[in-house]
Amino acid sequence: MAEVSRDEYMAVAASREIRDSDTAFIGTGLPMVAAYLAKATHAPRVNLVFESGIIDPRPVDLATGVGDYRLAHGSTKIAGTFYALSLLQQGKVDIGFLGTAEIDAYGNLNSTVIGPYHRPKVRLPGSGGANDIASMAKRFVVIARLDRKRFVEKVQYLTTPGFLTGPGAREAAGLPGAGPVRVISDRAILGFGPDSKRMRIERLYPGETLAAVQEHCAFPIEASPSLEAEPEPDAHLLRLLREVIDPKGVYVGRGER
Amino acid sequence: MAATPSKLVSLVEAAQAVASGASLTAGGFAHSHQPLAFTRELIRQGRSRLTLMSVAECWVAEFLAAAGMLEKVYFSNFMFEGYGRCQRFSKAVEAGAVAVEDHSHFGMVSRLMAAGLGLPFMPMKAMAGTDILAISGFEPPDRKARRMQSPFGHEVVTAVSPLRPDVAVIHAARADRLGNVQLFGTTSVIEEQARAAGTVIVTVEEIVDTDIIRRQPEMTLLPALMVDMVVHLPYGAHPTGVYGYYDHDSAHLADYYAASRTEPDTAVWLDRWAHGLPDHFDYLDALGMTRLLQLRVDPALGYLREASHG
């Protein structure tokens, strides 16, 4: 079997975050693949909700996005965007997945601007449902490749709340969700200190080191006391990813390492 | 039989309801059911200083920005799934030509919902603690949202103010002449947009008899009392798609996306596909019957099996 790519490590790690019977709020890309992988393996009863209003799909073909009709086919309900998002506020959503242009040590995300807000150097797409998921899902997971331009000391615009300024800040702001639990990167799986709420390294992929992770992260990041090595994914999981869920490698790149 | 009060109008007449300086909201999500034939007509007629109140109608925003018709945008997210950022919209914001006011999706929908329910505000729990509320775009921060304690306890919520667009433009599957509107598949924010707006214009793939609507009333998204004008525009969402009818035209979207990298190429593209064609049926002729038929979906799946990924 071909070597395991970074994307494949990320998809497998993300899928493990989903527990059976969770209601999961899913976006386009790796989260979609991770959710299908979870549903095909350890979490057959996971309920998938998409911000386009699609609930519990049974797609025959991999969708190109959350609004894609491939996703509408075989779903148990098609609603509007308000309905889907209101499930977050009501407390029905256990887990959500987010990507980001920038992330800081407290898991705050920027998907709005690079540069000043009024005359940005780069105007990014904006929050969409990301702020809603991070504010109101019971927990959320960030999927982001390690890079000093992405893992920054301070986000240039705080679009989406992690732990804001640190312990107690989410509660003071009145945010109902517990905040970020994991950051799935391309070198390591990161988490947050239970007291400090700062990001730390929990699991290293084979061949990776703490120094390499720090080199690609602009804020100081330490290892968790329970640091572990991430094993290579099971052949069964790789076969599902490569042959069933994303056979064309649309979202999960192959053999790049 | 008494004459029915038909709301059927021409595309030219419907577009005239949007004046320069007006505020507009449009249906659609990702590459689905965006009212783009209407948008092209607006571009042909020419408008300026439009305000958008938007959730996910990225293609409408992109084309209006490309045509230089936008002044202000309240919104939550514009991006082209599978392609990337909306390039002309983003450039216009970066150049300071378009002012923006950011929200989360739920924040935008809640503001439209407040207007649609006739309420002075809507309480909600997202956006707190972030720059979405801390950094003002063009709207004074205390007119957008305020923290508020529940009148029934100590819980703190964010109260957002209503947004009332002058006009909502929606593309749907079918309607009767009275304006009873049905749409299959995802319905994005259409119900909230129609309730919030002063005037509601609906463009549809098919005009059907009211008896057809009455056979499946559970599929009716907007009853006639919510709708002011109906325009018959088959393929009116092209190059986005309509569930059960046709898929998005990924080759056409890719052509636009390539052109939108530069201003001159975008102008050439707009000349060819908007200014250069007198009306929507000339647009369909320019696309050609073969291409239009190739986009028709598999009726059992509701989508086109062969569509490529962006």
Side-chain angles (χ1 to χ4, degrees):
Chain A
M1 189 165 298
E3 262 193 88
V4 184
S5 72
R6 290 171 193 270
D7 280 6
E8 286 168 337
Y9 274 104
M10 292 169 81
V12 169
S15 96
R16 214 165 44 218
E17 295 297 325
I18 296 174
R19 300 173 196 149
D20 200 13
S21 301
D22 268 355
T23 294
F25 213 92
I26 302 295
T28 304
L30 269 180
M32 200 182 271
V33 169
Y36 294 163
L37 184 60
K39 200 176 172 73
T41 55
H42 67 277
R45 287 169 297 180
V46 64
N47 239 312
L48 306 183
V49 180
F50 298 81
E51 69 182 21
S52 52
I54 293 165
I55 295 177
D56 188 22
R58 189 184 286 170
V60 180
D61 297 293
L62 188 62
T64 60
V66 297
D68 191 334
Y69 306 144
R70 277 145 207 80
L71 208 52
H73 178 73
S75 63
T76 55
K77 180 172 173 69
I78 294 178
T81 299
F82 182 81
Y83 183 86
L85 294 168
S86 69
L87 297 174
L88 286 160
Q89 184 161 284
Q90 198 272 350
K92 282 280 183 205
V93 177
D94 299 296
I95 185 168
F97 290 89
L98 301 173
T100 189
E102 289 186 326
I103 179 167
D104 70 15
Y106 291 113
N108 299 308
L109 312 180
N110 172 19
S111 55
T112 302
V113 286
I114 300 300
Y117 182 70
H118 291 93
R119 284 296 294 274
K121 187 160 163 279
V122 183
R123 172 66 218 196
L124 300 168
S127 162
N131 177 291
D132 303 317
I133 292 166
S135 296
M136 306 189 293
K138 287 181 189 162
R139 65 185 194 278
F140 73 93
V141 173
V142 181
I143 298 181
R145 288 178 176 77
L146 271 161
D147 182 317
R148 292 184 74 85
K149 284 187 179 153
R150 185 174 289 115
F151 285 69
V152 295
E153 189 64 47
K154 185 173 167 38
V155 290
Q156 297 181 56
Y157 179 100
L158 202 169
T159 312
T160 295
F163 292 109
L164 298 172
T165 53
R170 285 182 66 93
E171 294 77 1
L175 298 174
V181 289
R182 216 79 63 203
V183 179
I184 312 278
S185 84
D186 53 346
R187 295 175 185 275
I189 301 170
L190 315 167
F192 294 87
D195 301 320
S196 70
K197 305 296 183 195
R198 280 186 66 95
M199 205 184 296
R200 59 188 199 177
I201 305 165
E202 293 183 341
R203 294 167 86 96
L204 288 168
Y205 298 163
E208 294 295 343
T209 62
L210 294 173
V213 172
Q214 178 65 78
E215 190 190 327
H216 291 90
C217 175
F219 54 81
I221 186 163
E222 290 178 358
S224 158
S226 55
L227 181 73
E228 288 179 64
E230 170 79 358
E232 194 166 293
D234 271 17
H236 169 62
L237 298 181
L238 291 174
R239 193 193 63 79
L240 278 173
L241 278 179
R242 293 172 181 176
E243 293 172 24
V244 181
I245 296 170
D246 189 9
K248 289 180 184 158
V250 175
Y251 298 128
V252 185
R254 302 283 155 73
E256 63 191 73
R257 51 181 285 161
Chain B
M1 206 165 95
T4 52
S6 171
K7 291 172 184 165
L8 262 182
V9 298
S10 70
L11 176 56
V12 170
E13 191 184 333
Q16 282 162 357
V18 181
S20 282
S23 57
L24 193 63
T25 191
F29 198 103
H31 307 315
S32 181
H33 66 277
Q34 300 213 14
L36 296 179
F38 188 95
T39 305
R40 286 185 290 269
E41 178 61 22
L42 267 188
I43 291 171
R44 272 194 291 274
Q45 291 189 12
R47 293 292 186 280
S48 61
R49 294 174 290 106
L50 295 177
T51 294
L52 266 181
M53 297 175 176
S54 291
V55 177
E57 54 268 41
C58 49
W59 287 102
V60 174
E62 171 71 3
F63 287 128
L64 292 179
M69 286 162 50
L70 283 183
E71 181 181 39
K72 291 187 291 188
V73 180
Y74 302 79
F75 81 121
S76 41
N77 179 280
F78 291 150
M79 82 163 290
F80 300 141
E81 285 188 336
Y83 299 89
R85 297 193 299 143
C86 305
Q87 298 182 101
R88 296 335 295 170
F89 172 77
S90 300
K91 288 282 177 239
V93 175
E94 290 157 14
V98 171
V100 293
E101 193 66 55
D102 273 85
H103 301 74
S104 70
H105 272 341
F106 200 57
M108 264 317 290
V109 185
S110 293
R111 294 189 75 177
L112 294 167
M113 185 69 112
L117 295 180
L119 290 170
F121 63 87
M122 179 66 77
M124 59 173 292
K125 291 181 177 177
M127 303 197 292
T130 68
D131 286 338
I132 292 176
L133 298 186
I135 296 179
S136 168
F138 52 82
E139 193 178 29
D142 62 351
R143 304 237 330 244
K144 177 177 177 179
R146 291 180 189 221
R147 272 168 79 84
M148 179 188 151
Q149 193 182 318
S150 164
F152 303 105
H154 297 293
E155 200 170 354
V156 172
V157 294
T158 297
V160 293
S161 63
L163 283 177
R164 296 184 185 84
D166 295 324
V167 182
V169 185
I170 282 145
H171 188 74
R174 63 189 191 185
D176 64 10
R177 288 168 176 75
L178 308 178
N180 292 299
V181 176
Q182 299 188 326
L183 175 63
F184 315 107
T186 53
T187 56
S188 61
V189 191
I190 287 171
E191 288 183 86
E192 293 80 12
Q193 290 169 314
R195 275 197 281 190
T199 298
V200 177
I201 300 169
V202 179
T203 68
V204 290
E205 293 299 318
E206 297 180 86
I207 299 293
V208 295
D209 197 88
T210 304
D211 286 346
I212 301 287
I213 301 285
R214 289 185 192 279
R215 256 178 240 166
Q216 281 181 287
E218 72 278 14
M219 294 310 300
T220 301
L221 191 61
L222 304 174
L225 66 97
M226 301 301 297
V227 175
D228 298 291
M229 294 181 214
V230 177
V231 187
H232 183 207
L233 287 177
Y235 283 94
H238 185 274
T240 62
V242 176
Y243 186 72
Y245 289 79
Y246 50 94
D247 221 316
H248 65 269
D249 186 340
S250 50
H252 197 87
L253 294 178
D255 280 352
Y256 172 77
Y257 200 69
S260 72
R261 289 182 206 284
T262 72
E263 213 170 315
D265 287 355
T266 308
V268 169
W269 199 93
L270 283 182
D271 277 344
R272 179 173 175 203
W273 292 108
H275 298 296
L277 298 164
D279 73 19
H280 180 61
F281 291 92
D282 294 299
Y283 175 87
L284 297 186
D285 284 345
L287 286 168
M289 185 182 275
T290 305
R291 182 157 190 171
L292 295 175
L293 289 177
Q294 281 169 343
L295 294 172
R296 299 304 282 192
V297 299
D298 178 330
L301 292 168
Y303 62 88
L304 178 64
R305 198 75 203 263
E306 297 307 312
S308 67
H309 286 80

